[in-house]
């Protein structure tokens, strides 16, 4: 055997050992990088306690309440099993805060998303099947198309829309139509017939609610509000006349800034306030009446549990 052969055979184990060490080092580096990467991506979930409570007069309407713990950036949170899944968007949701949500499923989840594709279900709630809103047929894209970007009328006819409906023109609901959100008309009116609006109604001119339900409050900035055989969960306020008639119900106050309030065969759970006059006939008012006593007309009604024949209203200007 030559000297060269012996030298080559002597080098082979050295080279093999060197390669093995190099491979082990590379694998260790790769494995370490993977572990470190996983450690960086798995952010801890915020420590928070939330609750879901029934709220309002409409089925499916709930309040998501922050009981205690860390504040949540609403842009990092999505809700599953509700119509308004981005109800917390743009909010700093801290202890004692609450947001109105509308359950569409018997299971509602609050999901938090971190910066590295991390997500956690912070809390899960169970909702009774009869405490859910109709599954929405349309959403905000439909509202934008229907109103041409908020410049045309919106007609919600027999469908459920999970979005605020906001436009400069008329908003009309009929045949069991539903808006799971607010209704806002900046220049015209809202007309609701045998339908539901789960949020608030705010209009420039008139609001007509007939045989339907508004879960929130109603506000007419320059004209009138009429609640005809319908239910409003919150307060009703108009620049001019407020009428609650034919079995209508208002869950808050009824107020007219410049004209009168009429409650006929209907009820107002809160107080009644008017500038020019209040007429009650077959009415039930839970609070007080604020009007010039000379402008008070009351028959077969009760105010704060007291028969109106024995009741004297308070003059708001006195």
């Amino acid at each position: 055997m030559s000297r060269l052969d012996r030298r080559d055979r002597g080098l082979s184990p050295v080279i093999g050992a060197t390669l093995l060490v190099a491979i082990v080092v590379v694998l260790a580096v790769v494995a370490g990088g993977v572990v470190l990467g996983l450690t960086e991506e798995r952010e801890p979930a915020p420590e928070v306690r939330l609750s879901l409570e029934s709220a309002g007069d409409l089925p499916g309407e709930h309040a998501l309440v922050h009981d205690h713990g860390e504040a949540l950036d609403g842009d990092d949170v999505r809700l599953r099993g509700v119509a308004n899944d981005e109800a917390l968007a743009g909010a700093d949701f801290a202890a004692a805060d609450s947001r109105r949500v509308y359950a569409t499923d018997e299971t509602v989840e609050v999901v938090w998303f971190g910066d590295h594709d991390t997500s956690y279900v912070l809390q899960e709630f169970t909702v009774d099947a009869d405490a859910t809103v109709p599954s929405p047929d349309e959403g905000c894209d439909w509202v934008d198309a229907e109103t041409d970007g908020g410049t045309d009328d919106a007609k919600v006819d027999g469908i459920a829309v999970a979005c605020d409906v906001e436009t400069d023109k008329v908003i009309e609901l009929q045949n069991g139509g539903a808006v799971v959100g607010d209704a806002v008309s900046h220049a015209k009116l809202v007309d609701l017939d045998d339908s539901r609006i789960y949020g608030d109604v705010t209009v420039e001119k008139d609001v007509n609610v007939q045989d339907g339900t508004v879960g929130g409050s109603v506000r007419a900035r320059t004209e009138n509000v009429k609640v005809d055989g319908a239910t409003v969960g919150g307060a009703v306020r108009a620049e001019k006349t407020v009428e609650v008639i034919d079995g209508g119900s208002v869950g808050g106050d009824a107020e007219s800034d410049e004209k009168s309030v009429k409650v006929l065969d209907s009820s107002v759970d809160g107080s009644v306030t008017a500038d020019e006059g209040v007429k009650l006939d077959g009415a039930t008012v839970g609070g007080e009446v604020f009007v010039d006593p000379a402008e008070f007309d009351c028959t077969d009604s009760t105010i704060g549990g007291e028969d109106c024949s024995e009741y004297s209203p308070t003059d708001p200007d006195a």
Side-chain angles (χ1 to χ4, degrees), residues 189-201:
L189 57 88
V190 170
D191 188 10
L192 187 152
D193 187 0
D194 189 26
S195 299
R196 293 177 174 180
I197 295 175
Y198 282 76
D200 299 326
V201 175

Side-chain angles (χ1 to χ4, degrees), residues 166-238:
E166 186 171 357
T167 182
D168 292 334
K169 297 295 182 69
V170 174
I171 300 174
E172 182 180 3
L173 288 86
Q174 61 185 25
N175 298 324
V179 170
V180 186
D182 299 334
V184 180
S185 173
H186 293 292
K188 295 291 184 179
L189 57 88
V190 170
D191 188 10
L192 187 152
D193 187 0
D194 189 26
S195 299
R196 293 177 174 180
I197 295 175
Y198 282 76
D200 299 326
V201 175
T202 306
V203 304
E204 187 64 23
K205 294 188 176 180
D206 295 299
V207 180
N208 180 31
V209 185
Q210 182 173 346
D211 299 324
T213 304
V214 174
S217 61
V218 173
R219 174 75 166 107
R221 294 193 185 98
T222 62
E223 296 293 336
N224 312 298
V225 174
K226 185 175 184 180
V227 180
D228 184 354
T231 299
V232 175
V236 171
R237 183 180 176 185

Side-chain angles (χ1 to χ4, degrees), residues 90-287:
D92 182 26
F93 196 54
D97 288 345
S98 67
R99 286 291 185 279
R100 185 167 52 196
V101 298
Y102 306 99
T104 58
D105 195 274
E106 293 178 47
T107 300
V108 174
E109 293 180 337
V110 182
V111 185
W112 177 83
F113 293 88
D115 293 331
H116 302 286
D117 296 327
T118 303
S119 64
Y120 296 94
V121 176
L122 298 180
Q123 206 132 358
E124 181 178 292
F125 306 99
T126 300
V127 176
D128 291 337
D130 58 358
T132 60
V133 302
S135 296
D137 302 297
E138 303 290 351
C140 293
D141 290 343
W142 179 89
V143 174
D144 190 60
E146 175 76 4
T147 64
D148 193 19
T151 61
D152 207 349
D153 295 345
K155 188 172 185 178
V156 182
D157 189 351
I159 62 172
V161 178
C163 186
D164 294 339
V165 177
E166 186 171 357
T167 182
D168 292 334
K169 297 295 182 69
V170 174
I171 300 174
E172 182 180 3
L173 288 86
Q174 61 185 25
N175 298 324
V179 170
V180 186
D182 299 334
V184 180
S185 173
H186 293 292
K188 295 291 184 179
L189 57 88
V190 170
D191 188 10
L192 187 152
D193 187 0
D194 189 26
S195 299
R196 293 177 174 180
I197 295 175
Y198 282 76
D200 299 326
V201 175
T202 306
V203 304
E204 187 64 23
K205 294 188 176 180
D206 295 299
V207 180
N208 180 31
V209 185
Q210 182 173 346
D211 299 324
T213 304
V214 174
S217 61
V218 173
R219 174 75 166 107
R221 294 193 185 98
T222 62
E223 296 293 336
N224 312 298
V225 174
K226 185 175 184 180
V227 180
D228 184 354
T231 299
V232 175
V236 171
R237 183 180 176 185
E239 185 72 6
K240 295 184 179 178
T241 301
V242 172
E243 291 184 277
V244 187
I245 63 175
D246 294 337
S249 173
V250 173
D253 298 336
E255 181 177 359
S256 167
D257 292 337
E258 294 185 354
K259 295 289 184 180
S260 63
V261 175
K262 300 178 182 178
V263 185
L264 312 178
D265 298 315
S266 300
S267 65
V268 174
D269 289 350
S271 297
V272 173
T273 304
D275 184 60
E276 289 191 357
V278 170
K279 179 177 177 61
L280 307 178
D281 190 349
T284 301
V285 176

